[in-house]
Amino acid sequence: MILRCRLCHAPIAACDPARLIPPLTSAVFEPLEPGFPPPFPPDVPWEAARCPQCRHHPQGYAPDGAKSLETDQGTWPLPEPEQPDAASPDPKPANPGPIPKRDKPNRRSR
């Protein structure tokens, strides 16, 4: 599958749909053809990735575009990030920490 820039529609990178799992990284995108450098440096976070043609983010900037990518196969919806397991129905109460001791009045023995 080919990633396209949502703003200028330029082909940017090859990608495997099975690897497009949020949170995305720039390392999941490969060159369009063998022998070319990757479209994004692998150590760059996805949020900082830029289209090599127009220098904008490939997903665009509209909030509704954050959950999909434009590809040669049309708009590709990204899966939802995995949610942590639901909390147990009877959680343990929070540990309040150590209980401070109260000072006893000074008593003298007689």
Side-chain angles (χ1 to χ4, degrees):
M1 183 164 61
I2 305 296
L3 171 69
R4 292 188 178 276
C5 178
R6 185 166 275 145
L7 298 174
C8 74
H9 309 288
I12 299 174
C15 55
D16 177 6
R19 294 180 63 197
L20 297 177
I21 300 171
L24 290 178
T25 64
S26 59
V28 301
F29 299 98
E30 300 169 355
L32 289 170
E33 295 182 19
F36 286 89
F40 313 114
D43 58 342
V44 171
W46 173 241
E47 294 78 23
R50 297 290 177 252
C51 170
Q53 300 296 318
C54 69
R55 305 306 301 162
H56 288 97
H57 194 274
Q59 284 179 299
Y61 301 104
D64 59 343
K67 295 183 179 182
S68 65
L69 295 173
E70 288 301 316
T71 71
D72 60 334
Q73 299 175 9
T75 301
W76 187 267
L78 294 171
E80 293 291 325
E82 291 184 17
Q83 298 295 324
D85 292 336
S88 63
D90 188 23
K92 293 180 182 179
N95 184 0
I99 300 173
K101 293 183 180 180
R102 295 185 181 174
D103 293 334
K104 294 182 181 179
N106 293 335
R107 296 187 183 185
R108 293 190 216 190
S109 58
R110 292 189 188 191

